[in-house]
């Protein structure tokens, strides 16, 4: 009976350690400058200028993350413009290293999001799903500029400006791991509670088994 009990406990401890290590690994990634942003993440925004009096009334920017370093990202950057006649033209097609100033506002480093006291946490709905977003308002010359980024990747959801919240940039596609507001990650406290519950249940069943075997 003691052997059976040890097997139960070893199995439970093993599962707990695996979950704990996984949780710790996720947290360590989230604590870096770029959060959960990963190599091969692709992001595309509609960056159409608000004025119709431009050469390209419809413009999109696409980033593919090729390398992540402490101070910058290596990005395959493509910008495509659509003309009034419906034809498209590649405006930018380059692989380059970009730091936080060059990436603004498309990608805002998570470390800067977390250290900026003016950033608040809001819920942003993207393609029917609620995501945890970092929200920032900046006023320049009487005009209010508003930004929403995914909290754990720094990817821009939307950028508007003016009293009417004119839409400037907005996300139209990404394969990055955005942060759902409902939460897809395990909280360590929840894991501990679950572990304690399972351990108690197994211990109780073992005691019942012992009583049945040794009346």
């Amino acid at each position: 009976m003691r052997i059976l009990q040890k097997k139960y406990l070893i199995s439970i401890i093993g599962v707990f350690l695996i979950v704990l290590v996984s949780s710790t690994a996720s947290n360590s990634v989230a604590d870096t400058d770029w959060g959960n942003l990963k190599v091969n993440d692709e992001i595309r925004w509609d960056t159409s200028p608000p004025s119709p009096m431009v050469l390209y009334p419809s413009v999109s920017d696409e980033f593919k993350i090729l390398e992540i370093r402490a101070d910058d990202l290596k990005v395959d950057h493509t910008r495509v413009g659509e003309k009034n006649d419906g034809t498209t033209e590649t405006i930018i097609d380059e692989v380059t290293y970009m730091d936080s100033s060059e990436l603004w506002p498309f990608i805002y480093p998570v470390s800067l999001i977390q250290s900026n006291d003016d950033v608040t946490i809001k819920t942003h709905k993207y393609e029917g799903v609620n995501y945890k977003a970092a929200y920032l308002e900046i006023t320049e010359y009487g005009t209010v500029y508003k930004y929403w980024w995914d909290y754990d990747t720094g990817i821009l959801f939307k950028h508007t400006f003016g009293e009417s919240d004119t839409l400037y940039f907005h996300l139209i596609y990404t394969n990055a791991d955005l942060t759902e507001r409902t939460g897809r990650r395990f909280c360590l406290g929840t894991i501990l509670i679950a572990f304690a519950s399972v351990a108690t249940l197994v211990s109780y069943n073992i005691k019942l088994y012992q009583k049945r075997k040794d009346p």
Side-chain angles (χ1 to χ4, degrees), residues 99-112:
D99 61 24
S100 57
S101 63
E102 295 170 307
L103 290 164
W104 174 272
F106 297 114
I107 298 176
Y108 193 24
V110 170
S111 59
L112 298 182

Side-chain angles (χ1 to χ4, degrees), residues 150-198:
D150 175 59
Y151 190 79
D152 285 326
T153 61
I155 293 173
L156 181 73
F157 279 124
K158 184 171 69 171
H159 165 38
T160 66
F161 69 96
E163 293 182 2
S164 60
D165 285 335
T166 301
L167 186 62
Y168 205 157
F169 304 153
H170 67 279
L171 183 66
I172 55 177
Y173 168 78
T174 185
N175 62 352
D177 185 19
L178 304 178
T179 312
E180 289 185 25
R181 189 66 189 188
T182 52
R184 289 170 295 175
R185 297 177 190 146
F186 293 100
C187 171
L188 184 56
T190 304
I191 294 171
L192 290 172
I193 293 171
F195 171 75
S197 301
V198 172

Side-chain angles (χ1 to χ4, degrees), residues 47-61:
T47 57
S48 302
S51 171
M53 305 300 293
V54 293
L55 180 60
Y56 307 103
S58 178
V59 181
S60 65
D61 275 85

Side-chain angles (χ1 to χ4, degrees), residues 49-105:
S51 171
M53 305 300 293
V54 293
L55 180 60
Y56 307 103
S58 178
V59 181
S60 65
D61 275 85
E62 181 171 353
F63 286 175
K64 182 175 182 179
I65 310 302
L66 302 179
E67 185 180 345
I68 298 177
R69 304 194 302 187
D71 299 321
D72 54 23
L73 303 176
K74 186 178 183 181
V75 174
D76 185 354
H77 179 202
T78 305
R79 177 177 294 165
V80 177
E82 182 177 342
K83 298 181 178 180
N84 287 306
D85 61 4
T87 61
T88 60
E89 184 175 343
T90 300
I91 306 168
I92 295 176
D93 186 4
E94 62 180 4
V95 173
T96 182
Y97 283 99
M98 304 174 76
D99 61 24
S100 57
S101 63
E102 295 170 307
L103 290 164
W104 174 272

Side-chain angles (χ1 to χ4, degrees), residues 19 29 40 80 84 135 154 165 170 194 212:
V19 174
V29 171
N40 293 324
V80 177
N84 287 306
Y135 173 74
D165 285 335
H170 67 279
R212 289 171 183 170

